[in-house]
Every structure is written in C-alpha cells, then in structure tokens.
Amino acid sequence: MECPFCIETIKDESLVCKNCTRDLTLVRPYILEIQEMIAELDALQRDLSRARNRLAMIETPVRFLLLNALAFIVQPSILLVSAHYLVTFGFDLSPIYLRIASVLIPLPFGFALAIVKNVGFRGAMAVGATTAALSISIMLAVTGHLDNVNFVPSNWQEWLEALEYGTSIALAFGAGNILATTLFRVLPSAITSRGKPNPIAYRVACVLGQHVGQEALRRRARLLQEIVRTVLPLIGFVATASGSIYTGLKGVIGH
C-alpha cells in the first residue's frame, strides 16, 4: 500500500512508514478498507455490466444481437476482406501482409469484447470463429468472382489453408481478450490484494523457508499467489498470440 503522508510504497503490515516515519496505526485499517471497497466496487461494476447485457438481450434480443454482430463480427470482417482485396488485387503484395493483418485486425476487437462487454475467453473465441467463417467465405467469393474460378476450395490443401487462416483470426480475438483481462482485472487485483493466501501458496512458502516468522510467511505466500495469478494469464496471452501468428504465417512461410 501507499503511505498517506508521503505517498511512498510500503508493506501492508507496516505500522510505521520507513520513509517519513509517521505512525500508521490509526490510518492503516482505513487504507486497507478503502482498497477492499475499490476491489469490490470494480467487481460490482462488472456484474452490473453483465446484468445489463443479459437484460438487453432478453428485452430486445434482435436489436441486441444485431448491434453486437455489427460491432464485433461484421466490422472486423469488413476490415479483413478489405485487407484481402488490397493485398491480393489492389497492390499485388506478398500474402504474408494479409496474414499479418489477420492477427492485427481482430486483436483490438477481442480486447474490446473484454472491456466493453465483459465477454470471457470462450465467448471471444466464439465471436472470432464466426468472424473468421464470415470473412473467409467473402474472401473466397471475391477471389472466385475476380479470377473466374470456383470459390469453394478444390482440395484438402486449400481447405487446410482456409482452416489455418480462420484459426489465426479466432486466436487473435482470444489473445486480445486475455490481454485486456490481464491488464484491467488481474494486475489491479494483484496490486491491491491483501487477503489470506490459499493453503497451497502457504505450503510452497513454507518449503522455501520456514524460519522467517508467520507474518513473513503469509507475505511470501501472498506474493507467490499473486505471481501465479498474474503469470498464468500472461502465459495464456503469449501462447494464444503465438498460435495466431503461427497458424497465420504457416501456410505462407511453408510455400
């Protein structure tokens, strides 16, 4: 937490600020209570947002689905199809630029799904898969019309390429969603957390050294717990983004 007198970061257990030497005995409970209230308020705001979304879907399902489809499916599909047309027909560039666009364009939409709509990873992946199916279908139709060929893939290799491209788009949605969740929920929660650590974290802290005192063990256990809570989403983001990049560039680099 921060000292209310000198605004320096101090340990949650401190009773005296090591920087300004002010007594924190009276103000410390209020500071911790404010931190808990802020965390609870953030959770309540997320719950309220989810409740509003569910209520809007129940009251006006057609309007709700239409608006969200336009914002998070049709809009990125238009951008992806436009990128496909410009790269393939407008400027006749290397397909690698199109595959890069397939990662960069969906990423902010997955990010927005988490922030604006409180949609989780599975929901983002579902929206990404729908966007991929729509945009790739339009790309194939445009290519078939302009090149005067059948727009349906003619062999398993073309089907595999389309599947890899679609997977790249869906994973980019998921990566953006994980990034937003990490930045705006996991990290703030880790910074303000001060509750009792779970038993597993406490046992690990004991294994690392038992002769440091109970308060130090609890502090170490909380630190380990928050590191795990923070690192796991970051690993998920790296894995999902890497999967999106790999599936997006695999077909191009392979050729």
Side-chain angles (χ1 to χ4, degrees):
M1 67 179 183
E2 289 184 346
C3 173
F5 303 106
C6 65
I7 319 299
E8 290 291 333
T9 301
I10 55 177
K11 295 178 181 179
D12 289 345
E13 296 82 10
S14 299
L15 297 179
V16 176
C17 178
K18 64 180 180 180
N19 299 290
C20 65
T21 68
R22 298 291 293 271
D23 187 0
L24 304 176
T25 305
L26 295 178
V27 298
R28 179 174 175 271
Y30 297 103
I31 295 173
L32 298 178
E33 186 176 353
I34 290 172
Q35 290 179 347
E36 289 181 352
M37 292 176 62
I38 292 174
E40 292 176 359
L41 181 59
D42 289 339
L44 288 173
Q45 287 177 336
R46 290 194 297 269
D47 291 340
L48 179 60
S49 178
R50 295 192 189 99
R52 285 174 174 171
N53 286 334
R54 287 195 291 266
L55 183 61
M57 187 172 182
I58 293 172
E59 291 181 342
T60 55
V62 175
R63 181 176 181 272
F64 177 84
L65 293 174
L66 181 60
L67 290 177
N68 284 280
L70 287 173
F72 297 104
I73 296 177
V74 176
Q75 188 172 334
S77 295
I78 291 174
L79 294 175
L80 288 166
V81 172
S82 300
H84 171 263
Y85 178 83
L86 292 174
V87 170
T88 306
F89 300 103
F91 300 104
D92 193 22
L93 300 174
S94 169
I96 193 171
Y97 293 104
L98 178 60
R99 297 310 177 91
I100 292 174
S102 72
V103 176
L104 296 181
I105 291 175
L107 196 68
F109 287 94
F111 193 96
L113 278 172
I115 299 302
V116 179
K117 296 297 180 179
N118 286 303
V119 174
F121 176 75
R122 288 180 295 180
M125 289 293 292
V127 173
T130 304
T131 302
L134 176 62
S135 57
I136 291 175
S137 298
I138 298 175
M139 291 178 194
L140 292 173
V142 171
T143 301
H145 174 72
L146 295 178
D147 291 342
N148 197 24
V149 295
N150 188 4
F151 72 92
V152 179
S154 58
N155 54 61
W156 69 269
Q157 188 172 4
E158 291 182 353
W159 279 107
L160 180 61
E161 184 178 352
L163 179 61
E164 289 174 348
Y165 189 30
T167 302
S168 175
I169 294 172
L171 287 175
F173 266 88
N177 186 270
I178 293 176
L179 180 61
T181 301
T182 303
L183 292 177
F184 292 94
R185 295 180 191 171
V186 176
L187 288 179
S189 175
I191 292 172
T192 60
S193 176
R194 72 171 194 91
K196 182 179 179 181
N198 64 56
I200 297 177
Y202 191 81
R203 283 197 290 269
V204 173
C206 290
V207 171
L208 295 176
Q210 299 182 2
H211 308 292
V212 292
Q214 290 298 317
E215 194 59 47
L217 276 177
R218 283 193 291 271
R219 187 164 58 247
R220 180 184 296 171
R222 282 200 300 271
L223 177 61
L224 291 172
Q225 179 175 299
E226 297 311 324
I227 287 175
V228 171
R229 288 180 58 195
T230 305
V231 169
L232 287 181
L234 290 176
I235 292 175
F237 168 72
V238 172
T240 309
S242 299
S244 177
I245 294 171
Y246 174 75
T247 53
L249 300 180
K250 180 175 177 289
V252 177
I253 296 175
H255 293 144

